[in-house]
Amino acid sequence: MDIKQLKFLIALDQTRHFGQAAALCHITQPTLSMRLRNLEDELDLVLVKRGQRFEGFTEAGERILAWARTLLAAHDGLQAEAASCRGQVVGSLRLGTVPLASFNPMHLLLPLREKYPELHFQLSSHSTEQIMDGLSRNQLDLGICYLDQVNANFFEVIELGTTTMGLLFDTQHFQFDVDSLRWDALGDIPLGLLSKGMHYRQSLDLSLRSRGLAPNAVLESDSTFQLIQAINAGVCCAIMPLGCGLEGLSEHMRIIPIAEASILSPVGLLLRRSEPRSAIAEQCFDEARALFGRD
C-alpha cells in the first residue's frame, strides 16, 4: 500500500467516475483500475462496486475511504510540518465557510496569499455543524462559522464580528431612494431566500416573525450563486449580509442597510485544539489572530 493508491481512492470518491478520477490523477484509466484492484487484494476487501460504470463504494469501501482521508491528511500535514521546519509555508489550507456572513473570507486569503505565495487554498461551503465535524475529523484546517453552537473546549476561536444585513438589488430593475430600510418596508418587495433549515435563513425568519412580518418569497435556493442570478435577472431582491462583497459582483448591484437587522450569533474563525494540527493551520490561524484578534 502506498499514498498514491489512497489518492486514487479519494479521487474516485470526488469524481464518482473512473475516467475523471484517472484524469484528475494524471494517469490512464486502466492504471487507476489496476492500482485500486491491487489495494483491494492487499486488504482482502472489495472496496468499489463495479458495473458498466462506477456504482459507488461498498460498506467496507466507505470505512476504508474514511481512513484514507485521515492518512492522506496526515501525510500532507507531515509535508507541511517539514516545510515549516525549513522556514517555509507551503501546501494547501482547507478552509470551510458558512454560505453567508458579513465576514468576507477574501480578507483573510489575500494577506495570506501575499505573505505565503506558495500556499494554495481549498475553499468549501458548509453548515456550522459540518464545519465543526470537518475540523474534528481533520478534513478541514480552519473554519468560519457561527459561534452559538461552538464549544470553546474543543476549538480555538477568533471572533470576527456580527453579521448585519441589507437589501441587495439590481438598479436595472429596482430603485430605492433611501439610505436605509425599515423591516416593515420589505413586505411588498419580491425576495429570494436561502432554503429553510440553513442558519442564515433561520435567523432571517426569526427577525421577520418577531415583527409580525411574512416575506414575499418568490424564490428559494440553497445556492447563493443562484440567488445572485435571480437578482441580476430582476426576479427578486434578497436580504444579504453587509460587508460580504456581493454588491461588487456587478456595477448594477447595490445594497441598502436594514435598520436593526443582524444575526445574534457572531461569526468566528475556528482551529481545533486536539493534535495533530497541521503547521499550515497553526501558522494561518496565528496570522488571522494578528489581523483580526481583539486582544
Side-chain angles (χ1 to χ4, degrees), residues 66-81:
W67 278 103
R69 294 193 192 100
T70 300
L71 290 171
L72 194 57
H75 174 267
D76 292 343
L78 185 151
Q79 297 284 5
E81 193 73 36

Side-chain angles (χ1 to χ4, degrees), residues 263-278:
I263 294 179
L264 296 179
S265 174
V267 172
L269 181 70
L270 270 59
L271 170 71
R272 74 173 188 173
R273 292 188 181 276
S274 60
E275 298 290 346
R277 304 192 306 191
S278 76

Side-chain angles (χ1 to χ4, degrees), residues 53-54 56-57 97 112 128 139 147 162 225 236 249 265 268 273:
R53 58 178 64 89
F54 175 76
F57 292 96
T97 70
L112 289 176
T128 292
Q139 295 172 354
L147 299 180
T162 301
F225 176 71
C236 59
L249 296 177
S265 174
R273 292 188 181 276

Side-chain angles (χ1 to χ4, degrees), residues 17-33:
H17 187 279
F18 287 107
Q20 292 176 14
L24 184 64
C25 297
H26 307 291
I27 59 174
T28 65
Q29 183 172 331
T31 299
L32 178 88
S33 297

